[in-house]
Short mmCIF file of all heavy atoms in Angstrom, two decimals:
data_model
loop_
_atom_site.label_atom_id
_atom_site.label_comp_id
_atom_site.label_asym_id
_atom_site.label_seq_id
_atom_site.Cartn_x
_atom_site.Cartn_y
_atom_site.Cartn_z
N GLU A 1199 0.74 -1.21 -0.04
CA GLU A 1199 -0.02 -0.01 0.10
C GLU A 1199 0.87 1.25 -0.03
O GLU A 1199 0.54 2.21 -0.66
CB GLU A 1199 -0.92 0.09 1.22
CG GLU A 1199 -2.08 -1.03 1.13
CD GLU A 1199 -2.91 -0.77 2.36
OE1 GLU A 1199 -3.78 0.17 2.39
OE2 GLU A 1199 -2.99 -1.76 3.27
N ILE A 1200 1.97 1.28 0.87
CA ILE A 1200 2.74 2.53 0.86
C ILE A 1200 3.46 2.69 -0.45
O ILE A 1200 3.64 3.77 -0.92
CB ILE A 1200 3.73 2.18 2.04
CG1 ILE A 1200 3.03 2.39 3.48
CG2 ILE A 1200 4.90 3.40 1.98
CD1 ILE A 1200 3.88 2.12 4.55
N ASP A 1201 4.02 1.59 -1.08
CA ASP A 1201 4.83 1.64 -2.31
C ASP A 1201 3.85 2.29 -3.34
O ASP A 1201 4.33 3.16 -4.19
CB ASP A 1201 5.35 0.28 -2.78
CG ASP A 1201 6.56 0.03 -1.87
OD1 ASP A 1201 6.98 0.62 -1.03
OD2 ASP A 1201 6.97 -1.30 -2.12
N LYS A 1202 2.67 1.72 -3.33
CA LYS A 1202 1.67 2.26 -4.46
C LYS A 1202 1.48 3.80 -4.25
O LYS A 1202 1.47 4.51 -5.24
CB LYS A 1202 0.31 1.48 -4.29
CG LYS A 1202 -0.69 1.93 -5.31
CD LYS A 1202 -2.01 1.14 -5.10
CE LYS A 1202 -2.97 1.65 -6.14
NZ LYS A 1202 -4.25 0.80 -5.95
N VAL A 1203 1.25 4.25 -2.96
CA VAL A 1203 0.83 5.79 -2.94
C VAL A 1203 2.09 6.56 -3.17
O VAL A 1203 1.99 7.76 -3.66
CB VAL A 1203 0.27 6.01 -1.46
CG1 VAL A 1203 -1.07 5.27 -1.34
CG2 VAL A 1203 1.19 5.80 -0.39
N VAL A 1204 3.32 6.02 -2.70
CA VAL A 1204 4.58 6.76 -3.12
C VAL A 1204 4.70 6.98 -4.54
O VAL A 1204 4.97 8.05 -5.00
CB VAL A 1204 5.74 6.06 -2.46
CG1 VAL A 1204 7.06 6.63 -2.94
CG2 VAL A 1204 5.71 6.19 -0.97
N HIS A 1205 4.55 5.87 -5.23
CA HIS A 1205 4.66 6.01 -6.77
C HIS A 1205 3.61 7.00 -7.33
O HIS A 1205 3.89 7.70 -8.30
CB HIS A 1205 4.57 4.61 -7.41
CG HIS A 1205 5.72 3.74 -7.23
ND1 HIS A 1205 6.96 4.10 -7.81
CD2 HIS A 1205 5.98 2.63 -6.58
CE1 HIS A 1205 7.87 3.15 -7.48
NE2 HIS A 1205 7.27 2.32 -6.68
N ASN A 1206 2.30 6.96 -6.74
CA ASN A 1206 1.38 7.79 -7.22
C ASN A 1206 1.65 9.37 -7.07
O ASN A 1206 1.51 10.16 -7.95
CB ASN A 1206 -0.02 7.55 -6.52
CG ASN A 1206 -0.62 6.23 -7.04
OD1 ASN A 1206 -0.38 5.73 -8.05
ND2 ASN A 1206 -1.58 5.75 -6.23
N VAL A 1207 2.25 9.55 -5.88
CA VAL A 1207 2.78 10.96 -5.63
C VAL A 1207 3.99 11.32 -6.56
O VAL A 1207 3.92 12.41 -7.13
CB VAL A 1207 3.21 11.15 -4.15
CG1 VAL A 1207 3.95 12.49 -3.93
CG2 VAL A 1207 2.04 11.00 -3.29
N LEU A 1208 4.86 10.36 -6.63
CA LEU A 1208 6.00 10.61 -7.59
C LEU A 1208 5.49 11.02 -9.04
O LEU A 1208 6.00 11.81 -9.76
CB LEU A 1208 6.99 9.50 -7.67
CG LEU A 1208 7.63 9.40 -6.26
CD1 LEU A 1208 8.64 8.11 -6.46
CD2 LEU A 1208 8.54 10.44 -5.94
N ASP A 1209 4.52 10.12 -9.55
CA ASP A 1209 4.01 10.27 -10.90
C ASP A 1209 3.10 11.58 -11.04
O ASP A 1209 2.99 12.08 -12.01
CB ASP A 1209 3.08 9.09 -11.19
CG ASP A 1209 3.83 7.96 -11.45
OD1 ASP A 1209 5.17 8.08 -11.72
OD2 ASP A 1209 3.33 6.75 -11.50
N SER A 1210 2.63 12.20 -9.89
CA SER A 1210 1.70 13.27 -9.90
C SER A 1210 2.54 14.55 -10.35
O SER A 1210 1.89 15.47 -10.92
CB SER A 1210 1.05 13.55 -8.65
OG SER A 1210 1.92 14.07 -7.64
N GLY A 1211 3.71 14.65 -9.99
CA GLY A 1211 4.56 15.85 -10.13
C GLY A 1211 4.25 16.92 -9.14
O GLY A 1211 4.82 18.03 -9.34
N TRP A 1212 3.32 16.71 -8.15
CA TRP A 1212 3.10 17.74 -7.12
C TRP A 1212 3.64 17.24 -5.75
O TRP A 1212 3.06 16.25 -5.32
CB TRP A 1212 1.60 18.13 -7.08
CG TRP A 1212 1.25 19.33 -6.36
CD1 TRP A 1212 1.59 19.54 -5.03
CD2 TRP A 1212 0.60 20.42 -6.81
NE1 TRP A 1212 1.09 20.77 -4.70
CE2 TRP A 1212 0.45 21.35 -5.83
CE3 TRP A 1212 0.00 20.78 -8.07
CZ2 TRP A 1212 -0.08 22.65 -5.92
CZ3 TRP A 1212 -0.65 22.00 -8.22
CH2 TRP A 1212 -0.82 22.86 -7.15
N TYR A 1213 4.58 17.89 -5.19
CA TYR A 1213 5.30 17.27 -4.05
C TYR A 1213 5.07 18.05 -2.67
O TYR A 1213 5.56 17.59 -1.68
CB TYR A 1213 6.69 17.11 -4.40
CG TYR A 1213 6.95 16.34 -5.62
CD1 TYR A 1213 7.80 16.78 -6.71
CD2 TYR A 1213 6.33 15.11 -5.96
CE1 TYR A 1213 8.03 16.20 -7.84
CE2 TYR A 1213 6.36 14.44 -7.12
CZ TYR A 1213 7.38 15.01 -8.07
OH TYR A 1213 7.47 14.32 -9.26
N ILE A 1214 4.63 19.32 -2.82
CA ILE A 1214 4.46 20.08 -1.48
C ILE A 1214 3.07 20.70 -1.49
O ILE A 1214 2.68 21.23 -2.56
CB ILE A 1214 5.50 21.33 -1.51
CG1 ILE A 1214 6.92 20.69 -1.51
CG2 ILE A 1214 5.23 22.17 -0.41
CD1 ILE A 1214 7.32 20.09 -0.20
N LEU A 1215 2.39 20.47 -0.36
CA LEU A 1215 1.16 21.10 -0.13
C LEU A 1215 0.12 20.88 -1.30
O LEU A 1215 -0.48 21.89 -1.84
CB LEU A 1215 1.33 22.62 0.27
CG LEU A 1215 2.02 22.91 1.61
CD1 LEU A 1215 1.98 24.45 1.82
CD2 LEU A 1215 1.55 22.21 2.70
N GLY A 1216 -0.18 19.68 -1.59
CA GLY A 1216 -1.04 19.36 -2.47
C GLY A 1216 -2.24 18.56 -1.99
O GLY A 1216 -2.57 18.67 -0.91
N LYS A 1217 -2.77 17.69 -2.87
CA LYS A 1217 -4.02 16.93 -2.58
C LYS A 1217 -3.76 15.83 -1.39
O LYS A 1217 -4.72 15.83 -0.50
CB LYS A 1217 -4.57 16.12 -3.70
CG LYS A 1217 -5.04 17.03 -4.82
CD LYS A 1217 -5.52 16.10 -6.14
CE LYS A 1217 -6.04 17.10 -7.26
NZ LYS A 1217 -6.41 16.27 -8.36
N GLN A 1218 -2.56 15.37 -1.27
CA GLN A 1218 -2.33 14.41 -0.23
C GLN A 1218 -2.41 15.07 1.19
O GLN A 1218 -2.91 14.56 2.17
CB GLN A 1218 -1.19 13.69 -0.50
CG GLN A 1218 -1.07 12.73 -1.64
CD GLN A 1218 -2.08 11.57 -1.53
OE1 GLN A 1218 -2.36 11.09 -0.39
NE2 GLN A 1218 -2.66 11.09 -2.64
N VAL A 1219 -1.73 16.26 1.27
CA VAL A 1219 -1.71 16.89 2.57
C VAL A 1219 -3.15 17.41 2.96
O VAL A 1219 -3.60 17.18 4.07
CB VAL A 1219 -0.76 18.11 2.50
CG1 VAL A 1219 -0.80 19.00 3.68
CG2 VAL A 1219 0.70 17.74 2.24
N LYS A 1220 -3.84 17.93 1.99
CA LYS A 1220 -5.28 18.37 2.36
C LYS A 1220 -6.09 17.19 2.87
O LYS A 1220 -6.80 17.27 3.73
CB LYS A 1220 -5.84 19.08 1.18
CG LYS A 1220 -5.15 20.43 0.83
CD LYS A 1220 -5.95 20.99 -0.41
CE LYS A 1220 -5.22 22.41 -0.63
NZ LYS A 1220 -5.82 23.15 -1.89
N ALA A 1221 -5.92 16.01 2.09
CA ALA A 1221 -6.71 14.94 2.54
C ALA A 1221 -6.34 14.35 3.88
O ALA A 1221 -7.12 14.07 4.62
CB ALA A 1221 -6.59 13.72 1.46
N PHE A 1222 -4.99 14.27 4.12
CA PHE A 1222 -4.53 13.93 5.40
C PHE A 1222 -5.02 14.77 6.56
O PHE A 1222 -5.49 14.35 7.61
CB PHE A 1222 -3.11 13.72 5.42
CG PHE A 1222 -2.64 13.34 6.76
CD1 PHE A 1222 -2.83 12.13 7.51
CD2 PHE A 1222 -2.05 14.38 7.73
CE1 PHE A 1222 -2.33 11.84 8.71
CE2 PHE A 1222 -1.56 14.01 8.97
CZ PHE A 1222 -1.81 12.73 9.57
#
C-alpha cells in the first residue's frame, strides 16, 4: 500500500502542499 501511494505521488509531479496533505 505504501509503495503504491509513493509511486502515485511521484507520478503526480506535485510534491508540496497538494491533494495528499489536504486529504490527510
Side-chain angles (χ1 to χ4, degrees):
E1199 286 186 72
I1200 290 173
D1201 287 354
K1202 180 179 178 180
V1203 298
V1204 167
H1205 284 296
N1206 287 344
V1207 171
L1208 294 176
D1209 288 341
S1210 76
W1212 194 303
Y1213 307 130
I1214 297 291
L1215 296 184
K1217 294 179 180 179
Q1218 293 296 329
V1219 170
K1220 289 180 181 178
F1222 173 73

